[in-house]
Amino acid sequence: MEREEEYAGLGKNSQQRRKVRSRGCWLVVVVVCVVLGLGVLVLALTLGLTPAPLSFREEFTTRCEAFATRFNKRMECEQVWSVFESAYVGKDPCNVPMEAYDALISVAPFEPACNRMMFWSKTKDIVHEFTEKRDCYVTLEDSLLGFVLDGLTWCGKEGSNETLTSGCPGWTECYNNTVRSFWNRASAGFAEAACGDVTTMLNGSIAAPFDANSIFGSIEVQRFNAARVKTLNIVLVTQESLVTDCNNPSLRDLQKELRPGLKYKCREVAEANISACASNPETPCGACW
């Protein structure tokens, strides 16, 4: 009724009312078309402004260049990429031994950082929380190759020159899979570069902090050179409810694995204390444990 009364107020002539209605309808059509047109334009602009996801190669080289900028180093990232992909492209993803990455380690070697090298096992989050806030220790993931490939998955397949990022074998699916072999080889290289006093964070919230089958136990410990490494300092990261301590049998097994002449020390440190120390730059790193 309200719209009829509004039209009626314009005059009693029915033809005049029809003209008004006709103009009103056309106005509605025009408004609807404009709104729809603007919506399509906004959608097109939005889609056009959304960047396409990076390919694996682009992700690799972008991270490599970011590393070079961050640490003011000259890097031939395309060359590093070329050597990297030659390790696995065209190969069975379950038949890429760690030696396949030897050439990659040669073009991007690990630099010794005496007294500052940090190893870890089942403590990745707390270790990187600490090293990201404090620059007194470096981990494998702070090296070029570790920085570039941390968190990524890749593999090749026989008869193809592609790098795949899906459908690759999982960590335990086969031993010589593409990703596992890389981290085994990189860990070996990082451990071989260790010198002075080295530090390792182990998880004190599990029954056996040292696992002889872990990368730390089976690869890194085996490559500590007693002529270069003086002391292995174990930081046993504990929670409020202490599960284990430095007298744990697995840690005694660790001591037996060390080369003669390499000293061993262990200290239990609460995770909360490590986090607090990481956030306080005024506290010397050595005082954190």
Side-chain angles (χ1 to χ4, degrees):
M1 291 294 296
E2 289 181 358
R3 287 190 178 183
E4 290 179 1
E5 291 172 357
E6 187 175 324
Y7 284 130
L10 296 174
K12 296 181 180 180
N13 188 284
S14 61
Q15 185 177 1
Q16 189 176 20
R17 290 199 300 272
R18 283 197 298 273
K19 289 181 181 179
V20 171
R21 291 194 186 99
S22 178
R23 288 196 295 269
C25 290
W26 278 109
L27 179 61
V28 171
V29 171
V30 171
V31 170
V32 170
C33 289
V34 170
V35 171
L36 289 175
L38 288 174
V40 171
L41 178 61
V42 169
L43 179 61
L45 289 173
T46 300
L47 292 175
L49 293 174
T50 302
L54 296 177
S55 68
F56 186 87
R57 176 174 183 165
E58 291 169 333
E59 180 74 25
F60 184 101
T61 53
T62 297
R63 289 189 181 192
C64 178
E65 290 163 359
F67 182 91
T69 300
R70 177 181 175 185
F71 294 102
N72 194 27
K73 296 179 179 292
R74 294 185 61 184
M75 295 289 176
E76 297 293 338
C77 292
E78 288 296 335
Q79 178 190 3
V80 177
W81 162 259
S82 179
V83 176
F84 166 70
E85 68 169 351
S86 69
Y88 63 86
V89 162
K91 299 178 181 179
D92 178 345
C94 277
N95 191 24
V96 180
M98 58 186 287
E99 292 78 18
Y101 291 100
D102 284 352
L104 177 64
I105 302 302
S106 295
V107 298
F110 297 101
E111 299 179 1
C114 295
N115 305 315
R116 299 180 59 235
M117 298 179 81
M118 172 75 77
F119 296 81
W120 56 270
S121 183
K122 298 180 177 65
T123 52
K124 183 176 182 179
D125 289 344
I126 185 63
V127 165
H128 289 107
E129 176 191 343
F130 186 84
T131 58
E132 284 171 8
K133 294 178 180 179
R134 307 294 297 273
D135 62 358
C136 40
Y137 290 97
V138 294
T139 66
L140 171 56
E141 292 76 22
D142 296 315
S143 68
L144 169 64
L145 295 178
F147 178 84
V148 169
L149 292 166
D150 189 26
L152 299 184
T153 298
W154 68 93
C155 67
K157 67 177 180 179
E158 292 179 297
S160 172
N161 61 359
E162 292 182 285
T163 291
L164 306 176
T165 56
S166 61
C168 298
W171 186 269
T172 59
E173 190 171 334
C174 49
Y175 186 79
N176 283 330
N177 71 68
T178 316
V179 175
R180 182 172 184 162
S181 288
F182 164 76
W183 288 111
N184 284 346
R185 181 62 185 88
S187 297
F190 191 67
E192 288 165 356
C195 52
D197 295 335
V198 301
T199 303
T200 300
M201 283 195 192
L202 298 181
N203 192 338
S205 297
I206 57 179
F210 174 69
D211 179 0
N213 296 315
S214 66
I215 287 182
F216 175 66
S218 65
I219 292 177
E220 293 171 336
V221 168
Q222 308 304 323
R223 286 168 173 76
F224 289 149
N225 187 339
R228 292 167 50 82
V229 177
K230 293 170 51 182
T231 306
L232 173 62
N233 293 308
I234 298 298
V235 176
L236 191 62
V237 183
T238 62
Q239 304 291 338
E240 290 184 5
S241 54
L242 189 65
V243 173
T244 189
D245 56 27
C246 286
N247 295 315
N248 185 273
S250 73
L251 296 179
R252 290 197 291 272
D253 292 338
L254 167 57
Q255 295 177 61
K256 296 175 184 177
E257 294 291 330
L258 298 179
R259 303 282 179 85
L262 205 162
K263 298 178 182 179
Y264 170 92
K265 295 180 180 179
C266 178
R267 179 172 295 181
E268 300 144 18
V269 184
E271 182 174 339
N273 291 348
I274 296 174
S275 295
C277 195
S279 301
N280 186 0
E282 296 182 1
T283 301
C285 288
C288 293
W289 45 76

